[in-house]
Amino acid sequence: MTTIVLEDALDGTRTAVAVQRLLVAGYTGRDAQAVARHVDELAAAGVPRPPSTPTCYVLDPSLVTQSPVVVASNPHTSGEVEPVLVVAGSRRLLTVGSDHTDRALERHDVAAAKAACPKVVGTTSVDAASVPAEMWDELALGSVLADGSRYQDGTLAELLRPDDLLRRLPEIDLADGDVLFLGTVPAIGGLRPSPTFSGSLRLPGGPTLELAYRTVDCAGTGGIRMAKPEIELTPVEQEPWVPVPGVPGQAERILAADPAAGVATRMLRFDPGCDTSALGVLRHDFWEEVHILSGSLHDLTLDEVFGPGTYACRPPGMPHGPWRSPDGCVTFEVRYPAR
């Protein structure tokens, strides 16, 4: 199950949400005539017409990610910045997202095109209830491409408000764990790919919610290349424990590393009482596999304790931690790049 962690942009509190449903609303413009013209333009370009406007695509919740790396199956994908509602218990959290979509596939099947790509959400949020109704239309939505050009620039006045949208989509009854993408504003100069994408949702007089990621085309040439050394079965004790910089109470035993790729196989030791709260929630742009060999770790965000024999496989961007280890812990970790 995919879990995302959102930090309140105002007070810093963290909320972990186990994603149950991913809902991507489309054709959510407030101007019905403009939406109709847009549908006609897309149809002329070969994009199938939606069954209704607005419409909603129910997608695999595992597509939701907070990764700084999006792996695409071809070079014809691109993002679009959107406001996003995340339901956490009785609360609705507002964050920013990118409806990354396969544009080549979109010409044949919009739902399949959306389902072909991850949906990126930001790491900060505000309580949607704290945004006054009269302020909603002033929220500014924008995105920027790798060359620094402005890709999207608008306000939420161009989109249906959430309550209006939900009234027009009665089949969608929001529940705990739902992630709802609310639609987007037009791309300046038309849709096009970019190796990096950054989006923002700015609250007037308040914080700006942001996301940024790069796209890797897994169909391209190359692949994962690591220059780790050749090592036959060797006692791990011959490698010393070295303090982890900036993390009191942690030491690592590097078993093999590729400094150029920035990845390593290591053992990580938490001294009794080690607390990584100062680091906050961790996210990184590489894959990581972790096996707890001894002791235990208390995940302070999930409020769960994990002991020997437990294992994690973390894609790039997956939130985890911070940790506290009252009695100490030793883990075995393998890291490798997204590409």
Side-chain angles (χ1 to χ4, degrees), residues 240-278:
W241 288 104
V242 179
V244 176
V247 189
Q250 277 191 355
E252 60 185 358
R253 171 177 274 161
I254 303 296
L255 304 179
D258 176 3
V263 295
T265 301
R266 69 173 183 171
M267 298 171 70
L268 181 64
R269 186 182 69 199
F270 295 73
D271 292 342
C274 178
D275 190 325
T276 69
S277 296

Side-chain angles (χ1 to χ4, degrees), residues 4 59 76 86 148 153 182 184 214-215 268 287 324:
I4 58 175
L59 304 178
H76 308 295
V86 178
D153 197 354
L182 296 172
T184 192
R214 62 185 177 91
T215 303
L268 181 64
W287 285 83
R324 183 180 295 130

Side-chain angles (χ1 to χ4, degrees), residues 38 55 87 96 131 273:
H38 179 56
T55 192
V87 184
V96 64
V131 182

Side-chain angles (χ1 to χ4, degrees), residues 129-215:
S130 70
V131 182
E134 63 272 14
M135 182 189 294
W136 183 267
D137 289 358
E138 300 177 30
L139 272 64
L141 194 63
S143 63
V144 177
L145 301 184
D147 60 5
S149 62
R150 196 74 178 167
Y151 187 55
Q152 293 168 275
D153 197 354
T155 69
L156 298 198
E158 300 175 53
L159 306 176
L160 292 170
R161 293 183 179 182
D163 288 345
D164 293 335
L165 175 63
L166 292 170
R167 274 193 292 270
R168 297 178 63 175
L169 295 170
E171 70 277 15
I172 301 301
D173 184 16
L174 288 184
D176 185 26
D178 284 351
V179 174
L180 172 61
F181 281 64
L182 296 172
T184 192
V185 296
I188 301 168
L191 298 171
R192 56 194 184 278
S194 171
T196 65
F197 183 90
S198 59
S200 63
L201 179 62
R202 179 170 51 82
L203 284 68
T208 297
L209 311 177
E210 298 177 308
L211 62 79
Y213 61 91
R214 62 185 177 91
T215 303

Side-chain angles (χ1 to χ4, degrees), residues 292-305:
I292 296 181
L293 300 176
S294 64
S296 64
L297 290 175
H298 181 194
D299 186 312
L300 301 178
T301 297
L302 301 178
D303 194 22
E304 291 187 46
V305 176

Side-chain angles (χ1 to χ4, degrees), residues 5-250:
V5 176
L6 295 171
E7 182 176 297
D8 192 288
L10 299 176
D11 63 21
T13 57
R14 296 191 298 270
T15 302
V17 179
V19 181
Q20 304 296 325
R21 285 196 304 177
L22 169 58
L23 309 165
V24 178
Y27 309 97
T28 62
R30 198 175 298 184
D31 184 335
Q33 291 183 337
V35 171
R37 289 194 298 271
H38 179 56
V39 170
D40 289 340
E41 291 170 354
L42 292 175
V47 177
R49 294 178 180 273
S52 62
T53 57
T55 192
C56 189
Y57 304 94
V58 182
L59 304 178
D60 187 336
S62 67
L63 291 173
V64 177
T65 182
Q66 293 178 307
S67 176
V69 180
V70 164
V71 179
S73 60
N74 64 67
H76 308 295
T77 69
S78 64
E80 289 181 299
V81 67
E82 303 198 8
V84 177
L85 285 183
V86 178
V87 184
S90 60
R91 303 166 62 213
R92 294 181 180 181
L93 306 179
L94 176 65
T95 187
V96 64
S98 174
D99 175 17
H100 205 88
T101 299
D102 185 325
R103 303 303 173 186
L105 184 56
E106 190 175 38
R107 294 180 178 273
H108 307 283
D109 188 327
V110 176
K114 292 184 177 297
C117 299
K119 306 303 174 192
V120 184
V121 297
T123 59
T124 56
S125 67
V126 296
D127 194 319
S130 70
V131 182
E134 63 272 14
M135 182 189 294
W136 183 267
D137 289 358
E138 300 177 30
L139 272 64
L141 194 63
S143 63
V144 177
L145 301 184
D147 60 5
S149 62
R150 196 74 178 167
Y151 187 55
Q152 293 168 275
D153 197 354
T155 69
L156 298 198
E158 300 175 53
L159 306 176
L160 292 170
R161 293 183 179 182
D163 288 345
D164 293 335
L165 175 63
L166 292 170
R167 274 193 292 270
R168 297 178 63 175
L169 295 170
E171 70 277 15
I172 301 301
D173 184 16
L174 288 184
D176 185 26
D178 284 351
V179 174
L180 172 61
F181 281 64
L182 296 172
T184 192
V185 296
I188 301 168
L191 298 171
R192 56 194 184 278
S194 171
T196 65
F197 183 90
S198 59
S200 63
L201 179 62
R202 179 170 51 82
L203 284 68
T208 297
L209 311 177
E210 298 177 308
L211 62 79
Y213 61 91
R214 62 185 177 91
T215 303
V216 173
D217 174 15
C218 69
T221 59
I224 296 176
R225 294 188 176 91
M226 292 187 288
K228 287 185 177 180
E230 179 180 304
I231 302 174
E232 186 47 277
L233 290 171
T234 302
V236 297
E237 289 81 3
Q238 74 176 25
E239 298 297 335
W241 288 104
V242 179
V244 176
V247 189
Q250 277 191 355

